[in-house]
Amino acid sequence: MHRPSHQNAAIEIRDVTVGYTEGKPVLSGLSASFKGRSLVWVQGGNGAGKSTLVELCSGYLPPWQGTVQINGMDAGTPEARSTRRICRTQPALYPDMTVRDHIVLASRCARADMEAGLIRAVRLGLEPWLDHAAKTLSTGNTRKLWYVMCTLGDFDCVVLDEPFNGIDQESVEKVAEEICQWGGERLVLLISHTLPPGLTVTDDFHLHP
């Protein structure tokens, strides 16, 4: 269901303890509440659990204790996943598929307008590479394709893990423009060591190891 205002966007984390190895939690007793239309800058040093927070919000890392909800739904449910987007820091592409085919596939999965995705890709400088295989892309172009794929269609919440890493300054500015626009319309959690000039956050959230 389309929600133009995205006013009910929410990520709720309650008393969460989670990790990857039994007996060695990465996050212990974490509680956090992010609601409404806002751009939240998530900060923390190495090992603080920023990537673990991303995976909690994705619903693919179940907490050992506590709950994670997206818009009032368990983060691991298909219903919750359809209302949020996750852009991890490490791209995962099919080496022999073209840039265009990646966008077509991701658009179908997100039930999004393919042309809108292609327009965004072109805006980020990918037009000369649309019919090239992903394995031929530079690191920067790979990351730009991944960012577009992960943020297609209509969504209430988006979590972005270091979206500016490895891309050229002109594209950094264009991505920052998109993120600013999203922050005025929906809920954005942004993990980034530094902020580009002109990117103003609504709030910040600190994770401590």
Side-chain angles (χ1 to χ4, degrees), residues 120-166:
R120 289 178 61 208
V122 168
R123 184 170 181 265
L124 292 178
L126 290 174
E127 185 171 17
W129 309 100
L130 288 178
D131 296 310
H132 288 243
K135 64 185 178 185
T136 69
L137 299 178
S138 67
T139 298
N141 283 337
T142 296
R143 293 189 63 84
K144 286 187 279 187
L145 172 58
W146 179 242
Y147 162 77
V148 171
M149 289 174 58
C150 292
T151 54
L152 291 168
D154 185 45
F155 51 87
D156 291 332
C157 313
V158 60
V159 183
L160 305 167
D161 193 355
E162 300 291 352
F164 308 113
N165 277 5

Short mmCIF file of all heavy atoms in Angstrom, two decimals, residues 120-166:
data_model
loop_
_atom_site.label_atom_id
_atom_site.label_comp_id
_atom_site.label_asym_id
_atom_site.label_seq_id
_atom_site.Cartn_x
_atom_site.Cartn_y
_atom_site.Cartn_z
N ARG A 120 18.03 7.29 -12.50
CA ARG A 120 18.93 7.54 -11.37
C ARG A 120 20.34 7.06 -11.69
O ARG A 120 21.32 7.72 -11.34
CB ARG A 120 18.40 6.85 -10.11
CG ARG A 120 17.14 7.49 -9.53
CD ARG A 120 16.66 6.73 -8.31
NE ARG A 120 17.67 6.75 -7.27
CZ ARG A 120 17.81 5.78 -6.36
NH1 ARG A 120 17.03 4.71 -6.39
NH2 ARG A 120 18.74 5.88 -5.42
N ALA A 121 20.46 5.92 -12.34
CA ALA A 121 21.77 5.39 -12.70
C ALA A 121 22.49 6.33 -13.66
O ALA A 121 23.69 6.61 -13.51
CB ALA A 121 21.63 4.01 -13.30
N VAL A 122 21.76 6.84 -14.64
CA VAL A 122 22.34 7.77 -15.60
C VAL A 122 22.78 9.05 -14.89
O VAL A 122 23.85 9.60 -15.18
CB VAL A 122 21.33 8.08 -16.73
CG1 VAL A 122 21.79 9.27 -17.57
CG2 VAL A 122 21.13 6.85 -17.60
N ARG A 123 21.97 9.51 -13.97
CA ARG A 123 22.30 10.73 -13.22
C ARG A 123 23.61 10.57 -12.45
O ARG A 123 24.35 11.54 -12.25
CB ARG A 123 21.15 11.07 -12.26
CG ARG A 123 21.34 12.37 -11.49
CD ARG A 123 20.07 12.75 -10.75
NE ARG A 123 20.25 14.00 -10.03
CZ ARG A 123 20.58 14.08 -8.75
NH1 ARG A 123 20.75 12.97 -8.03
NH2 ARG A 123 20.73 15.25 -8.15
N LEU A 124 23.91 9.35 -12.02
CA LEU A 124 25.15 9.08 -11.29
C LEU A 124 26.31 8.71 -12.22
O LEU A 124 27.35 8.25 -11.75
CB LEU A 124 24.92 7.96 -10.27
CG LEU A 124 24.00 8.32 -9.10
CD1 LEU A 124 23.81 7.11 -8.17
CD2 LEU A 124 24.53 9.50 -8.31
N GLY A 125 26.12 8.90 -13.53
CA GLY A 125 27.22 8.71 -14.46
C GLY A 125 27.38 7.32 -15.02
O GLY A 125 28.41 7.00 -15.61
N LEU A 126 26.35 6.47 -14.90
CA LEU A 126 26.47 5.08 -15.35
C LEU A 126 26.00 4.85 -16.78
O LEU A 126 26.04 3.72 -17.26
CB LEU A 126 25.69 4.16 -14.39
CG LEU A 126 26.30 3.98 -12.99
CD1 LEU A 126 25.36 3.16 -12.12
CD2 LEU A 126 27.66 3.33 -13.07
N GLU A 127 25.55 5.89 -17.47
CA GLU A 127 25.01 5.69 -18.81
C GLU A 127 25.98 4.97 -19.75
O GLU A 127 25.57 4.05 -20.47
CB GLU A 127 24.59 7.03 -19.42
CG GLU A 127 23.91 6.86 -20.77
CD GLU A 127 23.29 8.16 -21.27
OE1 GLU A 127 23.66 9.23 -20.75
OE2 GLU A 127 22.45 8.09 -22.19
N PRO A 128 27.28 5.32 -19.78
CA PRO A 128 28.18 4.61 -20.71
C PRO A 128 28.36 3.14 -20.38
O PRO A 128 28.89 2.38 -21.21
CB PRO A 128 29.51 5.36 -20.54
CG PRO A 128 29.16 6.68 -19.93
CD PRO A 128 27.98 6.40 -19.07
N TRP A 129 27.93 2.73 -19.20
CA TRP A 129 28.19 1.36 -18.73
C TRP A 129 26.93 0.51 -18.66
O TRP A 129 26.99 -0.64 -18.21
CB TRP A 129 28.83 1.42 -17.34
CG TRP A 129 30.01 2.33 -17.29
CD1 TRP A 129 30.05 3.61 -16.81
CD2 TRP A 129 31.33 2.06 -17.77
NE1 TRP A 129 31.30 4.15 -16.95
CE2 TRP A 129 32.11 3.21 -17.54
CE3 TRP A 129 31.92 0.94 -18.37
CZ2 TRP A 129 33.45 3.28 -17.90
CZ3 TRP A 129 33.25 1.01 -18.73
CH2 TRP A 129 33.99 2.17 -18.49
N LEU A 130 25.79 1.04 -19.13
CA LEU A 130 24.53 0.32 -18.95
C LEU A 130 24.55 -1.07 -19.56
O LEU A 130 23.94 -2.01 -19.03
CB LEU A 130 23.37 1.13 -19.54
CG LEU A 130 22.94 2.38 -18.76
CD1 LEU A 130 21.82 3.10 -19.50
CD2 LEU A 130 22.51 2.03 -17.34
N ASP A 131 25.24 -1.24 -20.67
CA ASP A 131 25.26 -2.54 -21.35
C ASP A 131 26.58 -3.28 -21.16
O ASP A 131 26.90 -4.21 -21.91
CB ASP A 131 24.94 -2.36 -22.83
CG ASP A 131 23.53 -1.82 -23.03
OD1 ASP A 131 22.60 -2.40 -22.44
OD2 ASP A 131 23.36 -0.82 -23.75
N HIS A 132 27.33 -2.90 -20.12
CA HIS A 132 28.57 -3.58 -19.77
C HIS A 132 28.33 -4.52 -18.60
O HIS A 132 27.50 -4.25 -17.72
CB HIS A 132 29.65 -2.56 -19.38
CG HIS A 132 30.18 -1.79 -20.55
ND1 HIS A 132 31.49 -1.86 -20.96
CD2 HIS A 132 29.57 -0.93 -21.41
CE1 HIS A 132 31.68 -1.08 -22.00
NE2 HIS A 132 30.51 -0.50 -22.30
N ALA A 133 29.05 -5.62 -18.58
CA ALA A 133 28.94 -6.57 -17.47
C ALA A 133 29.46 -5.95 -16.18
O ALA A 133 30.39 -5.13 -16.18
CB ALA A 133 29.74 -7.84 -17.79
N ALA A 134 28.87 -6.35 -15.07
CA ALA A 134 29.25 -5.80 -13.77
C ALA A 134 30.73 -6.01 -13.47
O ALA A 134 31.37 -5.17 -12.82
CB ALA A 134 28.39 -6.41 -12.68
N LYS A 135 31.29 -7.12 -13.95
CA LYS A 135 32.69 -7.42 -13.65
C LYS A 135 33.65 -6.45 -14.31
O LYS A 135 34.83 -6.40 -13.94
CB LYS A 135 33.02 -8.85 -14.07
CG LYS A 135 32.92 -9.12 -15.56
CD LYS A 135 33.14 -10.59 -15.88
CE LYS A 135 32.98 -10.88 -17.37
NZ LYS A 135 33.08 -12.33 -17.65
N THR A 136 33.18 -5.66 -15.26
CA THR A 136 34.05 -4.69 -15.93
C THR A 136 34.02 -3.32 -15.27
O THR A 136 34.78 -2.43 -15.67
CB THR A 136 33.63 -4.52 -17.41
OG1 THR A 136 32.35 -3.86 -17.48
CG2 THR A 136 33.54 -5.87 -18.12
N LEU A 137 33.18 -3.13 -14.28
CA LEU A 137 33.02 -1.82 -13.65
C LEU A 137 34.17 -1.50 -12.70
O LEU A 137 34.73 -2.39 -12.06
CB LEU A 137 31.70 -1.75 -12.88
CG LEU A 137 30.40 -1.93 -13.67
CD1 LEU A 137 29.22 -1.88 -12.73
CD2 LEU A 137 30.28 -0.90 -14.77
N SER A 138 34.45 -0.22 -12.58
CA SER A 138 35.38 0.24 -11.55
C SER A 138 34.73 0.09 -10.17
O SER A 138 33.52 -0.12 -10.06
CB SER A 138 35.74 1.71 -11.78
OG SER A 138 34.59 2.53 -11.58
N THR A 139 35.53 0.24 -9.14
CA THR A 139 35.00 0.15 -7.77
C THR A 139 33.91 1.20 -7.55
O THR A 139 32.85 0.90 -6.99
CB THR A 139 36.12 0.36 -6.75
OG1 THR A 139 37.08 -0.69 -6.91
CG2 THR A 139 35.57 0.34 -5.32
N GLY A 140 34.16 2.42 -8.01
CA GLY A 140 33.18 3.48 -7.82
C GLY A 140 31.88 3.21 -8.54
O GLY A 140 30.79 3.40 -7.97
N ASN A 141 31.95 2.77 -9.78
CA ASN A 141 30.73 2.48 -10.53
C ASN A 141 29.99 1.27 -9.97
O ASN A 141 28.75 1.22 -10.00
CB ASN A 141 31.06 2.27 -12.01
CG ASN A 141 31.32 3.57 -12.73
OD1 ASN A 141 30.87 4.63 -12.31
ND2 ASN A 141 32.06 3.52 -13.82
N THR A 142 30.74 0.30 -9.48
CA THR A 142 30.10 -0.84 -8.82
C THR A 142 29.28 -0.38 -7.62
O THR A 142 28.13 -0.80 -7.42
CB THR A 142 31.17 -1.85 -8.36
OG1 THR A 142 31.84 -2.38 -9.49
CG2 THR A 142 30.54 -3.00 -7.58
N ARG A 143 29.85 0.51 -6.84
CA ARG A 143 29.16 0.99 -5.63
C ARG A 143 27.95 1.86 -6.00
O ARG A 143 26.92 1.81 -5.32
CB ARG A 143 30.13 1.74 -4.74
CG ARG A 143 31.22 0.85 -4.14
CD ARG A 143 32.02 1.58 -3.08
NE ARG A 143 31.18 1.96 -1.96
CZ ARG A 143 30.88 1.17 -0.94
NH1 ARG A 143 31.35 -0.07 -0.90
NH2 ARG A 143 30.12 1.59 0.04
N LYS A 144 28.05 2.62 -7.08
CA LYS A 144 26.91 3.44 -7.49
C LYS A 144 25.76 2.55 -7.97
O LYS A 144 24.59 2.81 -7.63
CB LYS A 144 27.34 4.41 -8.59
CG LYS A 144 28.18 5.57 -8.06
CD LYS A 144 28.45 6.62 -9.12
CE LYS A 144 29.57 6.26 -10.03
NZ LYS A 144 29.93 7.36 -10.96
N LEU A 145 26.07 1.51 -8.74
CA LEU A 145 25.03 0.57 -9.17
C LEU A 145 24.37 -0.09 -7.98
O LEU A 145 23.14 -0.20 -7.91
CB LEU A 145 25.64 -0.48 -10.10
CG LEU A 145 24.73 -1.66 -10.49
CD1 LEU A 145 23.46 -1.17 -11.18
CD2 LEU A 145 25.48 -2.65 -11.36
N TRP A 146 25.16 -0.53 -7.03
CA TRP A 146 24.64 -1.19 -5.83
C TRP A 146 23.71 -0.26 -5.06
O TRP A 146 22.63 -0.66 -4.63
CB TRP A 146 25.82 -1.64 -4.98
CG TRP A 146 25.48 -2.31 -3.68
CD1 TRP A 146 25.81 -1.88 -2.42
CD2 TRP A 146 24.80 -3.55 -3.50
NE1 TRP A 146 25.36 -2.76 -1.47
CE2 TRP A 146 24.74 -3.80 -2.11
CE3 TRP A 146 24.24 -4.48 -4.38
CZ2 TRP A 146 24.14 -4.93 -1.57
CZ3 TRP A 146 23.63 -5.61 -3.84
CH2 TRP A 146 23.58 -5.83 -2.46
N TYR A 147 24.12 0.99 -4.89
CA TYR A 147 23.30 1.97 -4.17
C TYR A 147 21.95 2.15 -4.86
O TYR A 147 20.90 2.15 -4.19
CB TYR A 147 24.07 3.29 -4.10
CG TYR A 147 23.23 4.50 -3.79
CD1 TYR A 147 22.80 4.76 -2.49
CD2 TYR A 147 22.85 5.39 -4.81
CE1 TYR A 147 22.01 5.88 -2.21
CE2 TYR A 147 22.08 6.50 -4.53
CZ TYR A 147 21.66 6.74 -3.24
OH TYR A 147 20.88 7.84 -2.97
N VAL A 148 21.95 2.29 -6.18
CA VAL A 148 20.68 2.47 -6.90
C VAL A 148 19.81 1.23 -6.74
O VAL A 148 18.61 1.33 -6.45
CB VAL A 148 20.94 2.76 -8.40
CG1 VAL A 148 19.63 2.73 -9.18
CG2 VAL A 148 21.62 4.12 -8.57
N MET A 149 20.39 0.05 -6.93
CA MET A 149 19.63 -1.19 -6.82
C MET A 149 18.96 -1.34 -5.46
O MET A 149 17.83 -1.83 -5.36
CB MET A 149 20.55 -2.40 -7.04
CG MET A 149 21.03 -2.60 -8.45
SD MET A 149 22.24 -3.94 -8.52
CE MET A 149 21.30 -5.32 -7.84
N CYS A 150 19.65 -0.94 -4.42
CA CYS A 150 19.17 -1.16 -3.05
C CYS A 150 18.14 -0.13 -2.61
O CYS A 150 17.54 -0.30 -1.53
CB CYS A 150 20.34 -1.15 -2.08
SG CYS A 150 21.46 -2.54 -2.26
N THR A 151 17.93 0.92 -3.40
CA THR A 151 17.03 1.99 -2.95
C THR A 151 15.97 2.30 -3.99
O THR A 151 15.55 3.44 -4.15
CB THR A 151 17.85 3.26 -2.62
OG1 THR A 151 18.66 3.62 -3.76
CG2 THR A 151 18.75 3.05 -1.43
N LEU A 152 15.51 1.28 -4.69
CA LEU A 152 14.49 1.46 -5.72
C LEU A 152 13.09 1.46 -5.12
O LEU A 152 12.83 0.84 -4.09
CB LEU A 152 14.60 0.33 -6.74
CG LEU A 152 15.84 0.32 -7.63
CD1 LEU A 152 15.95 -1.00 -8.37
CD2 LEU A 152 15.83 1.49 -8.61
N GLY A 153 12.19 2.13 -5.80
CA GLY A 153 10.77 2.05 -5.46
C GLY A 153 10.37 2.89 -4.27
O GLY A 153 11.10 3.77 -3.81
N ASP A 154 9.18 2.58 -3.76
CA ASP A 154 8.60 3.32 -2.63
C ASP A 154 8.91 2.58 -1.34
O ASP A 154 8.73 1.36 -1.25
CB ASP A 154 7.08 3.45 -2.82
CG ASP A 154 6.46 4.31 -1.74
OD1 ASP A 154 7.02 5.37 -1.44
OD2 ASP A 154 5.41 3.90 -1.20
N PHE A 155 9.37 3.29 -0.35
CA PHE A 155 9.69 2.68 0.94
C PHE A 155 9.50 3.70 2.05
O PHE A 155 9.52 4.91 1.82
CB PHE A 155 11.12 2.14 0.95
CG PHE A 155 12.17 3.14 0.51
CD1 PHE A 155 12.75 4.02 1.40
CD2 PHE A 155 12.55 3.21 -0.83
CE1 PHE A 155 13.70 4.94 0.99
CE2 PHE A 155 13.51 4.13 -1.25
CZ PHE A 155 14.08 4.99 -0.33
N ASP A 156 9.31 3.20 3.28
CA ASP A 156 9.16 4.08 4.44
C ASP A 156 10.49 4.33 5.15
O ASP A 156 10.69 5.42 5.68
CB ASP A 156 8.19 3.44 5.45
CG ASP A 156 6.77 3.42 4.95
OD1 ASP A 156 6.41 4.29 4.14
OD2 ASP A 156 6.01 2.53 5.37
N CYS A 157 11.35 3.31 5.19
CA CYS A 157 12.61 3.39 5.92
C CYS A 157 13.74 2.90 5.04
O CYS A 157 13.56 1.97 4.25
CB CYS A 157 12.58 2.51 7.18
SG CYS A 157 11.11 2.65 8.20
N VAL A 158 14.91 3.52 5.20
CA VAL A 158 16.09 3.05 4.49
C VAL A 158 17.30 3.15 5.41
O VAL A 158 17.44 4.12 6.15
CB VAL A 158 16.32 3.84 3.18
CG1 VAL A 158 16.52 5.33 3.43
CG2 VAL A 158 17.49 3.27 2.39
N VAL A 159 18.14 2.13 5.37
CA VAL A 159 19.38 2.10 6.15
C VAL A 159 20.53 2.04 5.16
O VAL A 159 20.61 1.12 4.35
CB VAL A 159 19.42 0.89 7.10
CG1 VAL A 159 20.70 0.92 7.95
CG2 VAL A 159 18.18 0.86 8.00
N LEU A 160 21.42 3.02 5.23
CA LEU A 160 22.52 3.16 4.28
C LEU A 160 23.84 3.03 5.02
O LEU A 160 24.14 3.81 5.91
CB LEU A 160 22.45 4.52 3.59
CG LEU A 160 21.13 4.87 2.90
CD1 LEU A 160 21.08 6.35 2.55
CD2 LEU A 160 20.95 4.03 1.65
N ASP A 161 24.64 2.05 4.62
CA ASP A 161 25.93 1.79 5.27
C ASP A 161 27.06 2.30 4.37
O ASP A 161 27.38 1.68 3.36
CB ASP A 161 26.08 0.29 5.55
CG ASP A 161 27.23 -0.01 6.50
OD1 ASP A 161 27.97 0.92 6.88
OD2 ASP A 161 27.39 -1.19 6.88
N GLU A 162 27.64 3.42 4.73
CA GLU A 162 28.77 4.04 4.00
C GLU A 162 28.49 4.19 2.50
O GLU A 162 29.26 3.72 1.65
CB GLU A 162 30.05 3.22 4.22
CG GLU A 162 30.48 3.11 5.68
CD GLU A 162 30.97 4.44 6.27
OE1 GLU A 162 31.11 5.42 5.51
OE2 GLU A 162 31.20 4.50 7.49
N PRO A 163 27.41 4.88 2.13
CA PRO A 163 27.06 5.00 0.71
C PRO A 163 28.02 5.87 -0.11
O PRO A 163 28.00 5.83 -1.34
CB PRO A 163 25.66 5.62 0.74
CG PRO A 163 25.64 6.40 2.01
CD PRO A 163 26.45 5.59 2.99
N PHE A 164 28.86 6.69 0.57
CA PHE A 164 29.74 7.61 -0.15
C PHE A 164 31.12 7.01 -0.42
O PHE A 164 31.92 7.60 -1.16
CB PHE A 164 29.91 8.91 0.65
CG PHE A 164 28.61 9.54 1.05
CD1 PHE A 164 28.23 9.61 2.38
CD2 PHE A 164 27.75 10.06 0.09
CE1 PHE A 164 27.03 10.19 2.76
CE2 PHE A 164 26.54 10.64 0.45
CZ PHE A 164 26.18 10.70 1.79
N ASN A 165 31.41 5.87 0.17
CA ASN A 165 32.74 5.27 0.02
C ASN A 165 33.05 4.95 -1.45
O ASN A 165 32.26 4.29 -2.13
CB ASN A 165 32.86 3.98 0.83
CG ASN A 165 33.19 4.26 2.29
OD1 ASN A 165 33.26 5.40 2.71
ND2 ASN A 165 33.40 3.20 3.05
N GLY A 166 34.19 5.41 -1.93
CA GLY A 166 34.70 4.98 -3.23
C GLY A 166 34.07 5.61 -4.45
O GLY A 166 34.38 5.21 -5.57
#
